[in-house]
Every structure is written in C-alpha cells, then in structure tokens.
Amino acid sequence: MVVCGDDALAHRLAADLQDVYGERVTLVVPSAREPQRPRIPPPARALGRAGALLGRVSAAMVRPAPLSSEAAGDGAEPAEETLRILEAAQPDDAALTEAGIAGAGALALVYDDDELNIHAALRARRLNPRLRLVIRLYNRKLGQHLEELLDQAAAVAALGSEDAGDAEGADASTTVLSDADTVAPALAGAAVAGTSRVIEADGLLLRAVERAPVPPGRPGEPGLCTLALLSASANDPAGATGSAAGDEGPVLLPDEAATAAAAGCGTVVLETVSYTGRPIRRRWLRGRGAPLASLFSRRLRWSLGGVVGAVLALAVASSLTMGEDPVHAAYLSLLDLFAINDPAIHDPAPRKVLQLLSGLTGLLLLPVLVAAAFEGLGTFRSASALRRPPRGLSGHVVLLGLGKVGTRVLARLHEMGIPVVCIEGDPEARGIALARRLRVPTVLGDVTQEGVLEAAMIERAATLLALTSEDTTNLEACLYARSVSPRLRVTLRLFDDRFATAVYRTLRAAHPGALTRSRSVTYLAAPAFAGAMMGRQILGAIPVERRVLLIARFDVRGHAALEGRTVAEVLRPGRLRVLAVDTSAPDDAEPDAAAAAPPPPPEERTPAQLVHELGDDYVLRPQDRVLLVATRQGLGELHARNRQPAAARQSGARQG
C-alpha cells in the first residue's frame, strides 16, 4: 500500500493499514527541507491559557504513540519493516516510481489539495493501470466524474494488456472520498447515541457496543447480534469462571449456542443507532411555503381570536334579545362592526347597546388587521432569511460551525429528523445556504461572545457539537456550555489525537456524570479510507482486543457463494455472518440497468432490512445486496469459493 499526504490523515491512515490490516505501507510525505509545502502542525499549538494547561496535561497523561509495526488482525504475527517513509516534494512520476507504484496493490492520495490529488491520480493510473485508487476530494460531482474517467481508463488498459486474463481478477477500482462525508455519520452518531464507533451502510447506522459480563440467571440487553465474546483477561483480570473465550483471546462471531453458554463473559454487541427524541415539527400552510406558526406571532393570533369571539358573542346576544334568525343577527353584527349599518335611532335599547358594542369591537379590530398585514408581509420578505430558534425548544442539538464538516453533519442530522440549532460566525460560511434551505434555526455570532450560546438555548439542549476548525473556539465553547449545563453531552472536534485524549480525560474527571467525546477528523476518517484501500466492499473495521472484524458489502449477482442460498446457509460461525440485505431492487431488475442507474439521494434511500426482519430462511436474489461482518479469513474464503466456479467456467470454455 502507498499513502501520499501532507497532513495527519496520511499518518493515521498508514497506521491503520499497518496495525489493523497488517499491510506493508510506503508513506510519501513532503520533505522537511521544502518550506513551500504545508507541514503537519505540531500537537502543542498556541491554544491560549486553557490550551496550554491541557497541553501540559496531555504531555503528562498520554505517551507519544509512534506508528506501530505490529499487525493486530486475527492474531497474525507482525511483519518486519512494514512501514517505509519516503520524502518527496510532490507526488510526481519519480516519487511514485520510487514508492513502488508498479507493484503496489492500492494508492491513497490524501493531500489537502484537490488539484494535486487529481494530477497524482492521473499519473498513477498511467503508471499502473491495475492499481486501486483512493482519492480525497470534497467536491462530490467532480469525484463521480473522476471515478468514471479513471475506471474507464483502467478498463481500456486491461483490454489492451497481454495479461488480460490476470487483469480480470484485479480490482483496479477508483474510490473518491471526502473526510467531511466520512466523519458525518460518526459525529451524528455521537450526537444521538454518545459514541463515534458508528458505521454507515445502506441507510443503516450501526455501532459496536462493549458490554460488561452479566451475572448468571440475569438476561442481557438485546442487540442485533453478538460480534465477539471477550477473553477472561479482558473481563476479569483474576479470571472469570465460565468464560467461553478463556485467556487465548476473544471468540469472534459465535453462534447462538456459544453465546448462550458464555455466562459471565463480556461481549461486543452490534446495535442500530436511531433518534428517539422529539422529531422536527413541520406545519406548512400548503405544500411548500412559510410555516403557519411563523406567519403570525402568538400574541397576534390570540388578539385575532379574541375579536372573533367578541363578534360571535354579539351575534348570539342580538339573536336572543331581538328574536332574529342567528344568521341574520350575525350579518347585522358584522355591518355594525365595519360601520356599514344605519344608526339604530328608533330601535329598542338592547339593539342600540349592541350596535355601540359592535362599533367598539370594530375599533379594536382595525389595529389587529394592520398588525397582521405587517407581520405577514415581513414573514414573506424574510422567507429566505435564517430562522431564529423557536420558543419552547428543548432536547435539540447545538451545532457549532458550518464549515465543510459542519455542513455534512447538519445534512445528516436533518435526514434523521433531529432538531438542530446552528451557530456560525461567518455569514458567508459554506453551510449557511444549506441551513437557509432546510429552514434550520441559525444564530450568527461569535460563540466566544456572551449571549450567543444562550441564544441557541444551550441550557435546554441535549448535545453540543463543536465542529469549527479552531481548537480554542471548540474548547472555550465546551467549557462555557459545561458551566451552564453540567450534564450536557459534548462532542469536540480537535486536531491532534493526543490532545483530544487529554481533553477527554480532563473533562471526564471534572464532570464524571456527563458524556464527553473529543475526536479529530483524521481519527474518524482514516478507517473509511483504509477500508476503501482494502477494496470497495470494505466499509469499516471493528477492533476486538487484538483482533479485527470487517464490515463488508457484496452484490449477490454473480457470486456463487451467495446467489440462491439462504441466510442460514451463508453463515459461517467464527468467520462470516449476514447482517442485513438490501431488497429494494425489483424482481425483474436488469443487471445492466441496475448498474447504470445512479444512486438515489440520501433522503430517498430505503434502508436495508436486517436479518431478524427477513428470517434465516430468506433466499438471496441476484439483485440483492448483502451487508456482512467477517474476519479476514472469512472474507478470503468467501472470495475463494466465488473464484472456484469462475475458474471452472474458464476451464470449460478453453476445452470447448
């Protein structure tokens, strides 16, 4: 594997490839002697008084974590010299050739410069057409076009190659990822469930939860499935009796019998992440337009209701005293109200009193109508303006920062139906247009100034997501929010992993009853980039002690180990398990049409159905797509079982 980058994401990605997947990695970084290239900022930056204090705490509490040379997957022994660092000013032909691009399996281009990544990707595809490419880009549309271009170039090069037979088995795919897109599900999961170990797959948000041993005779909390039984040393240092795993290591993907027999053993359980709070209320006049509640103020609605009630009371009184028809009495009351009727000079006294009261009600109605006209005009004029947080809002998420990451997180939270109040200091920020289009309440102002967090109703919020690019701003907002609401759930975006760990431990010590998460974008984005380098099917990895489970997605069509088999037949205890099946494709879907159809937008995407919803006897159709959890050995066996029928078909074709 070759990784090229100029920031912390490259180092984190190289560490994940080396430690989690056990791959040999060549890391290409800018030279320290090249001042024109941006360098990775040091961990201890100028953070003010609070930053300096936490920086000293970080140095005292957290040891430096260099890139390890151990492979943590499935008990494999670490390989020697699995990491090579190469210094190069730019990823040109000479640098890529020296990095061994001709014999590499995958290349990741994670520079913080879209143009540089595109140029390097074009060079790499020319030097090695069979190379798997992972490119970091923020622009989604440009990324889709680039994927099509590079995949087409790889297909053309494979057809013209002499080793066309070997090229068929090569995965020369191109995957374009954005760190903002990859971290959005994890940050949204942290806002909803308080954890960032979240994997997004086919419309589902899944998280792995480690649970303590349950005493015998007491039922454990339910989950989708048990991913692992932890070892006795991980559960109880003194050794737990009845532990199914023992001291040798965890038991991965146990069957139901092994799980039931594992009394007193800690487990890792897979759960779905969903929002159970108060959903977003949308009351529209008709289809699209201004909400009814914001068209007129509450005071004006009560005033208008009072006038209408007075008119009805006058109509009823006129009908009872004068003995007239109720409809005619209401008509006369309205004529008196608008000063259209003749004076009741020769009428009885009750009629004169009612006419005077109707005229007085008409005088009260005039300012109400003028106020309604002005309020309605102002509402329609400000329809494109940012909304203010409504009164009575509670249990919402306060999102600080509408940059690249904040914009993606805002879209994700809105899709999940979670009420959000945004805070942004720059009126021209990237996410302001999205907040205006989604009609999300937004407070414009510097969060370090007094009253800004109060305007976002931080004292009644459930979660604070501080996602600006300034560590000092995020930290200051967190500390102030903690003073206002000590039990507030807080998630911080911090640059350095070690500094984030120190902040987390310090806040946990100061507020043990509140939930705090401090993560860097590189920490959250690196697993997605590493999974893409391992193959387009790999969505993420779940570490279990010193072993790893992989979440993968496969198309059933053309896969002999999946097509036409039931979910129970695909199950391999300890190696492979089906989690969910995407059954949205119709029965008569053509393979070419399904492959050419563009993916639906996130708000129209149908989540995959979980296995317990379908049943173990569900037969996988060719147009289905399955979500699997497996060990590396289990995935290898799945590929091997699929290659055997393909090899038999090729052999029969040669004999024919």
Side-chain angles (χ1 to χ4, degrees):
M1 303 291 176
V2 179
V3 178
C4 300
D6 56 2
D7 59 4
L9 178 58
H11 288 260
R12 171 62 64 176
L13 176 57
D16 282 1
L17 289 172
Q18 181 189 19
D19 295 342
V20 177
Y21 296 98
E23 296 289 337
R24 293 180 298 167
V25 183
T26 298
L27 178 60
V28 181
V29 295
S31 173
R33 297 181 296 273
E34 297 289 341
Q36 69 272 15
R37 293 295 303 157
R39 295 294 300 155
I40 301 173
R45 299 186 290 173
L47 298 176
R49 267 188 262 171
L53 174 61
L54 287 171
R56 290 194 293 269
V57 173
S58 173
M61 298 177 65
V62 184
R63 297 180 179 178
L67 293 175
S68 174
S69 61
E70 294 183 354
D74 291 350
E77 292 296 329
E80 296 181 359
E81 297 183 0
T82 56
L83 177 64
R84 182 168 69 102
I85 299 179
L86 176 64
E87 292 187 351
Q90 290 193 5
D92 51 13
D93 291 356
L96 293 176
T97 302
E98 186 178 355
I101 202 70
L107 167 67
L109 299 167
V110 293
Y111 291 99
D112 195 13
D113 186 346
D114 288 359
E115 184 178 357
L116 182 61
N117 290 331
I118 293 174
H119 289 173
L122 296 175
R123 293 191 186 98
R125 180 60 79 206
R126 176 173 50 83
L127 294 175
N128 187 355
R130 299 168 57 185
L131 184 69
R132 185 185 304 124
L133 291 176
V134 178
I135 309 170
R136 175 186 183 182
L137 288 181
Y138 182 79
N139 193 326
R140 290 178 176 176
K141 294 184 178 179
L142 178 60
Q144 292 177 359
H145 294 310
L146 185 63
E147 282 186 356
E148 296 175 359
L149 175 64
L150 294 176
D151 286 346
Q152 185 177 2
V156 172
L159 291 176
S161 175
E162 296 180 357
D163 301 332
D166 296 337
E168 291 180 358
D171 182 15
S173 61
T174 304
T175 304
V176 176
L177 295 176
S178 167
D179 48 356
D181 285 330
T182 55
V183 304
L187 293 173
V192 176
T195 178
S196 58
R197 296 177 62 185
V198 177
I199 296 176
E200 181 188 19
D202 294 332
L204 297 173
L205 285 179
L206 306 174
R207 64 168 176 171
V209 181
E210 185 174 329
R211 292 179 178 169
V214 178
R218 180 193 245 172
E221 298 182 12
L224 293 181
C225 67
T226 301
L227 297 179
L229 305 175
L230 300 178
S231 61
S233 58
N235 299 316
D236 185 1
T241 59
S243 175
D247 294 325
E248 296 80 8
V251 175
L252 301 181
L253 302 179
D255 54 12
E256 295 182 0
T259 303
C265 180
T267 58
V268 177
V269 180
L270 194 66
E271 294 180 345
T272 56
V273 177
S274 60
Y275 178 67
T276 57
R278 184 181 302 175
I280 299 177
R281 293 182 179 180
R282 296 188 182 93
R283 291 180 291 181
W284 303 98
L285 286 173
R286 188 175 182 180
R288 296 182 180 180
L292 181 62
S294 63
L295 185 60
F296 303 113
S297 64
R298 179 180 297 180
R299 183 181 301 176
L300 182 61
R301 294 197 301 269
W302 278 106
S303 301
L304 187 61
V307 172
V308 173
V311 172
L312 293 177
L314 290 172
V316 172
S318 177
S319 176
L320 294 177
T321 56
M322 304 301 296
E324 297 178 351
D325 182 69
V327 177
H328 184 65
Y331 175 71
L332 291 178
S333 299
L334 289 176
L335 290 179
D336 295 335
L337 182 71
F338 295 111
I340 301 177
N341 202 5
D342 294 332
I345 298 176
H346 303 290
D347 292 341
R351 170 65 182 144
K352 294 180 179 179
V353 173
L354 290 176
Q355 191 175 51
L356 291 177
L357 292 177
S358 299
L360 179 61
T361 306
L363 293 177
L364 297 177
L365 178 62
L366 181 61
V368 174
L369 294 178
V370 173
F374 277 104
E375 281 198 5
L377 181 61
T379 299
F380 284 109
R381 279 187 174 182
S382 60
S384 61
L386 294 172
R387 292 188 59 195
R388 290 179 135 190
R391 296 180 180 179
L393 182 64
S394 62
H396 57 286
V397 176
V398 176
L399 176 60
L400 174 58
L402 288 177
K404 293 194 301 183
V405 177
T407 302
R408 297 290 194 252
V409 174
L410 172 61
R412 170 60 59 181
L413 293 175
H414 188 269
E415 291 169 9
M416 299 174 66
I418 301 174
V420 185
V421 175
C422 301
I423 301 177
E424 176 56 52
D426 183 10
E428 304 297 329
R430 189 187 301 267
I432 291 294
L434 178 64
R436 182 181 293 110
R437 179 169 59 85
L438 299 178
R439 297 193 60 80
V440 175
T442 304
V443 178
L444 290 177
D446 186 0
V447 72
T448 59
Q449 300 296 325
E450 186 177 357
V452 175
L453 280 174
E454 286 81 358
M457 301 182 181
I458 191 65
E459 69 278 359
R460 304 175 65 178
T463 305
L464 170 65
L465 288 177
L467 305 180
T468 70
S469 56
E470 296 293 333
D471 288 2
T472 51
T473 302
N474 296 335
L475 187 57
E476 185 174 352
C478 170
L479 296 177
Y480 182 75
R482 274 277 186 262
S483 64
V484 175
S485 179
R487 300 189 65 84
L488 181 69
R489 179 185 296 164
V490 174
T491 300
L492 291 170
R493 171 192 176 185
L494 298 177
F495 177 82
D496 185 72
D497 293 343
R498 290 177 291 172
F499 181 69
T501 304
V503 170
Y504 164 74
R505 293 181 177 178
T506 305
L507 293 177
R508 286 287 294 178
H511 302 276
L515 187 60
T516 305
R517 291 290 182 267
S518 57
R519 289 290 184 269
S520 66
V521 173
T522 58
Y523 179 89
L524 298 175
F529 282 83
M533 292 190 71
M534 297 303 300
R536 189 174 279 181
Q537 301 91 352
I538 305 297
L539 301 179
I542 300 176
V544 180
E545 297 184 20
R546 295 192 59 80
R547 306 180 73 181
V548 64
L549 289 172
L550 303 177
I551 304 294
R553 179 173 52 203
F554 283 89
D555 292 327
V556 175
R557 187 181 303 276
H559 214 295
L562 301 175
E563 187 174 350
R565 298 180 181 271
T566 63
V567 173
E569 292 175 348
V570 179
L571 174 64
R572 295 289 186 273
R575 300 190 179 181
L576 183 68
R577 187 170 205 161
V578 179
L579 295 178
V581 182
D582 185 1
T583 61
S584 58
D587 292 335
D588 55 351
E590 296 292 336
D592 296 338
E603 59 270 12
E604 300 179 2
R605 195 173 302 160
T606 303
Q609 292 183 272
L610 300 170
V611 168
H612 69 80
E613 299 174 354
L614 296 173
D616 292 339
D617 56 349
Y618 176 79
V619 180
L620 298 176
R621 306 174 303 166
Q623 62 270 20
D624 289 343
R625 186 166 57 180
V626 296
L627 187 68
L628 305 171
V629 56
T631 62
R632 287 208 301 268
Q633 186 178 3
L635 282 182
E637 292 180 355
L638 187 64
H639 284 291
R641 286 157 54 196
N642 186 48
R643 284 194 296 265
Q644 289 174 0
R649 289 194 300 267
Q650 292 179 2
S651 176
R654 292 193 189 98
Q655 292 177 3

